[in-house]
Amino acid sequence: MNAPIARYAAYAAGTALIGYGLSGIVTDVPVPRWAAWFVGAAVLHDGVLVPVVLAAGLVTGWIPVAYRRVLRGALVVAACVTAVAIPLVLGYGRRPDVPSQLPLPYGRNLAIVVGLIGAVAVAVLAWRAVAGRGRRHGMSGGAHRAAPPGRRPGRKEGDR
């Protein structure tokens, strides 16, 4: 299939799905309520999420690059999990007369999940440190190593 044809077909399908979604919003949801939700989401994204991510990037800037990516990834995953779990932790929707509604210790469970995310990040960093040490001491085999800068494999020093 020709690439431009596939691209235009994808655009048409996406436009049709957007139209279907908008028609559902217009027919099933009161527009002022939807508009308030939409504006609220934009304000939360631009006013809270983006500044927090930028601040985290600034604060973690002093960490070496090899470890910085893992740390930032763990922070993003932990923040997303926390954002999803906050309504449960705070008990939104819990009613005293219905004990089976939101019955679990969500705060403890969130702490466990965030702890596991941190443990995975530490394990990845430890693995990288051990693997890096083996590479530095010549224990990694060497058959896969790239040629030094300025030389191509199979050529002698004087060849151009």
Side-chain angles (χ1 to χ4, degrees):
M1 185 178 233
N2 197 353
I5 294 172
R7 186 177 331 130
Y8 291 131
Y11 289 157
T15 303
L17 288 172
I18 290 170
Y20 177 73
L22 287 175
S23 70
I25 288 173
V26 170
T27 58
D28 296 338
V29 178
V31 175
R33 207 169 80 195
W34 175 83
W37 178 87
F38 189 78
V39 169
V43 168
L44 281 175
H45 179 269
D46 295 347
V48 177
L49 180 66
V50 171
V52 167
V53 169
L54 290 175
L58 185 64
V59 168
T60 59
W62 59 272
I63 297 173
V65 174
Y67 306 120
R68 188 181 318 154
R69 291 181 182 155
V70 174
L71 177 64
R72 286 178 177 171
L75 288 172
V76 166
V77 171
C80 291
V81 168
T82 302
V84 169
I86 282 294
L88 300 172
V89 171
L90 297 177
Y92 293 142
R94 182 177 292 140
R95 290 180 28 200
D97 59 333
V98 184
S100 63
Q101 195 173 29
L102 300 175
L104 300 176
Y106 297 103
R108 182 202 68 191
N109 294 347
L110 175 61
I112 290 171
V113 171
V114 170
L116 287 173
I117 293 167
V120 168
V122 167
V124 167
L125 292 175
W127 177 79
R128 283 187 174 187
V130 169
R133 185 178 312 133
R135 231 178 276 124
R136 281 192 299 273
H137 295 296
M139 299 186 308
S140 64
H144 64 281
R145 289 191 187 146
R151 278 196 61 210
R152 291 197 312 221
R155 294 198 174 197
K156 295 187 172 112
E157 196 65 38
D159 292 345
R160 291 266 169 195

